[in-house]
Amino acid sequence: MEYVTAVPHPRTEAAETAGPSKNGRRSLGVALLFGAAGAAVALLASRQEWCSGVAAVAGGKLPLTAKGSDVTGVPAALAIVGLAALVAVFAVRRAGRVLVAALLALSGAGAVAAAMLGADDSSALDEKAASASGDASSTIDALSHTAWPYVAAGGGALLLIAGILAVVYGAAWPSMGGRYERDGAPRPRRQKAVDPDRPDELWKALDRGEDPTGTA
């Protein structure tokens, strides 16, 4: 007869860490994908035409256009900051990682806000109209906007998601540094074989902090 007990079997350490480790790897991949894609999209959208219109110049009509960088340079600048923060997340630990992850999230949120504010902005075209006509009071007519500001906002949203993932799951992500394992412990140095008949090698081994006898 099979023995039945009400005492639960103890969980192994591997079973306890499998869930968090899997979530960490998954969130890391998503954050890298979203962060890189968001920065690229925001930078690309900032170089495209955001609005266009017509200015009255010397009795005629002059068509004018404005790129995203003409309207506002904030989304592109924050995209670069966010991309740098995404890389820096792996260079810091503990509280530093949380701060860098928060900077990544704030960069995304700021890019979204700036892009949405610039979606209906006509000041860049008004400045071009005043410059073309020589009249500071000149404004643009037949104003129209493209969808690129919203594309830039979408890129900022991807950066924001990457930042949130870094804040929530960043503690489980690996860090830069070849001498450290995933648990933060230093990797043991490979000890070179020492010829006991050569005193100079024995002294060099002692200087390196090694045991020349080869015993643990």
Side-chain angles (χ1 to χ4, degrees):
M1 178 181 295
E2 183 180 357
Y3 179 71
V4 179
T5 177
V7 180
H9 294 285
R11 297 182 62 186
T12 62
E13 183 178 353
E16 292 177 351
T17 58
S21 177
K22 184 177 180 181
N23 290 336
R25 290 193 299 269
R26 184 181 303 168
S27 61
L28 172 60
V30 174
L32 287 175
L33 176 62
F34 279 23
V41 168
L43 288 172
L44 175 64
S46 296
R47 298 175 181 176
Q48 307 303 315
E49 179 182 317
W50 281 25
C51 54
S52 61
V54 177
V57 179
K61 298 291 184 179
L62 177 64
L64 297 173
T65 61
K67 296 181 179 180
S69 56
D70 298 327
V71 176
T72 174
V74 175
L78 290 179
I80 296 175
V81 172
L83 189 60
L86 181 63
V87 175
V89 164
F90 303 98
V92 294
R93 294 172 179 267
R94 297 186 178 89
R97 176 167 291 186
V98 175
L99 292 176
V100 175
L103 176 61
L104 173 58
L106 290 175
S107 298
V112 172
M116 295 304 296
L117 289 174
D120 297 325
D121 192 358
S122 63
S123 59
L125 284 178
D126 289 338
E127 291 179 3
K128 288 189 174 185
S131 177
S133 65
D135 184 1
S137 61
S138 295
T139 57
I140 204 75
D141 297 323
L143 179 65
S144 63
H145 296 273
T146 67
W148 283 109
Y150 303 101
V151 175
L158 292 178
L159 283 171
L160 174 59
I161 295 174
I164 294 175
L165 289 174
V167 170
V168 177
Y169 298 103
W173 294 355
S175 300
M176 292 180 181
R179 291 191 57 195
Y180 293 88
E181 300 285 357
R182 291 183 179 179
D183 59 356
R187 293 181 179 175
R189 294 181 178 178
R190 182 177 298 177
Q191 183 168 325
K192 297 173 61 177
V194 178
D195 186 356
D197 295 330
R198 297 190 58 180
D200 58 330
E201 291 190 4
L202 293 175
W203 285 113
K204 289 180 180 179
L206 290 173
D207 289 340
R208 292 194 299 267
E210 300 175 357
D211 182 6
T213 65
T215 58

